[in-house]
């Protein structure tokens, strides 16, 4: 949630911060100093501690957007889509149109469209928009967008192309994605599909 609240922040995963009993925790490095914030259970807590302890200004629109997105997993699909539509429309008319929060809202909406089973084209459109924001999207958000694109694509050669682009953008998934590509190629061969294009592309990746 930090990247959603502070678009300029660089967010990285870390090992143990030695505050396990007080977690979830985040360590914030600013001005050459590191501060560990404890008990980050939700967006409101994160925003409060960042502003109170570190005197960081949290844009009100990003705080409101993050709070709405935080509620979406507990809502039914229709209500969740309404929340996300509201978040996206507000961000689109603000200076945060190309922010981590926007990328997150888009991929969450794409996922809901996919889960509902009724609007795969809208899921694809939102996932594609996330790729256009890959420079600001978090690893989790970008991986989720690629997963949606791969799962909604019916042409196996194009699925392979999506997976290859995914591993180029997020090398940490390379081994997993190469295994998935190999399984697709084997499936194409077993089904009698022409896998030459996919295999040539895979070997060049």
């Amino acid at each position: 949630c930090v990247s959603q609240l502070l678009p300029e922040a660089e967010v990285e995963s870390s090992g143990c911060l030695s505050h396990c009993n007080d977690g979830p925790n985040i360590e914030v490095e600013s001005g050459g100093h590191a501060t560990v914030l404890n008990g980050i259970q939700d967006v409101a807590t994160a925003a409060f501690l960042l502003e109170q302890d570190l005197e960081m200004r949290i844009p009100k629109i990003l705080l409101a957007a993050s709070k709405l997105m935080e509620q979406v997993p507990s809502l039914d699909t229709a209500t969740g889509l309404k929340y996300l539509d509201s978040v996206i429309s507000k961000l689109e008319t603000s200076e945060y149109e190309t922010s981590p929060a926007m990328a997150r809202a888009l991929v969450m909406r794409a996922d809901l469209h996919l889960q509902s089973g009724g609007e795969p084209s809208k899921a694809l459109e939102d996932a594609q928009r996330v790729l256009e924001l890959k420079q600001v999207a978090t690893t989790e958000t970008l991986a989720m967008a690629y997963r949606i694109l791969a799962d909604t694509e019916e042409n196996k050669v194009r699925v392979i192309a999506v997976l290859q682009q995914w591993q180029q953008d997020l090398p940490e998934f390379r081994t997993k994605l190469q295994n998935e590509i190999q399984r697709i190629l084997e499936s194409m061969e077993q089904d009698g599909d022409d896998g030459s294009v996919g295999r040539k592309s895979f070997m060049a990746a």
Side-chain angles (χ1 to χ4, degrees), residues 3-195:
S3 62
Q4 294 171 195
L5 297 172
L6 297 170
E8 70 278 8
E10 294 184 13
V11 180
E12 300 177 353
S13 60
S14 71
C16 179
L17 297 175
S18 301
H19 292 256
C20 299
N21 293 331
D22 301 318
N25 309 298
I26 59 173
E27 182 179 72
V28 181
E29 294 186 10
S30 178
H33 300 285
T35 302
V36 176
L37 302 179
N38 308 121
I40 310 298
Q41 299 287 350
D42 51 38
V43 168
T45 302
F48 176 78
L49 293 176
L50 287 169
E51 289 189 320
Q52 176 180 268
D53 294 2
L54 301 177
E55 299 181 349
M56 293 182 172
R57 186 186 73 84
I58 306 298
K60 290 182 179 180
I61 187 173
L62 295 183
L63 178 56
S66 297
K67 284 182 175 180
L68 285 177
M69 286 190 281
E70 190 174 56
Q71 297 178 52
V72 169
S74 64
L75 303 174
D76 61 84
T77 300
T79 305
L81 286 172
K82 288 181 180 179
Y83 274 45
L84 293 170
D85 287 345
S86 175
V87 168
I88 291 167
S89 65
K90 293 293 185 183
L91 292 176
E92 284 176 332
T93 57
S94 76
E95 62 184 295
Y96 302 106
E97 183 180 9
T98 57
S99 65
M102 173 62 92
R104 187 62 183 171
L106 286 168
V107 84
M108 289 178 70
R109 190 170 70 175
D111 188 50
L112 282 186
H113 280 309
L114 199 59
Q115 288 181 28
S116 68
E119 307 262 19
S121 61
K122 289 187 177 181
L124 282 170
E125 181 181 346
D126 281 343
Q128 288 286 3
R129 289 180 65 184
V130 174
L131 296 196
E132 295 172 5
L133 298 173
K134 67 172 64 176
Q135 297 302 319
V136 298
T138 65
T139 296
E140 179 185 4
T141 295
L142 192 54
M144 192 172 171
Y146 274 121
R147 183 75 274 163
I148 290 169
L149 289 172
D151 288 349
T152 52
E153 178 58 68
E154 296 181 358
N155 182 288
K156 292 181 179 179
V157 172
R158 288 200 288 269
V159 171
I160 290 173
V162 170
L163 298 177
Q164 289 173 335
Q165 186 59 52
W166 182 353
Q167 70 178 6
Q168 288 178 19
D169 287 340
L170 300 173
E172 58 266 45
F173 290 90
R174 184 176 180 83
T175 299
K176 175 183 177 180
L177 294 172
Q178 284 182 331
N179 290 337
E180 186 171 349
I181 290 169
Q182 189 59 42
R183 287 195 298 271
I184 294 172
L185 292 172
E186 292 171 356
S187 173
M188 292 171 70
E189 291 177 353
Q190 291 174 1
D191 293 341
D193 292 342
D194 181 4

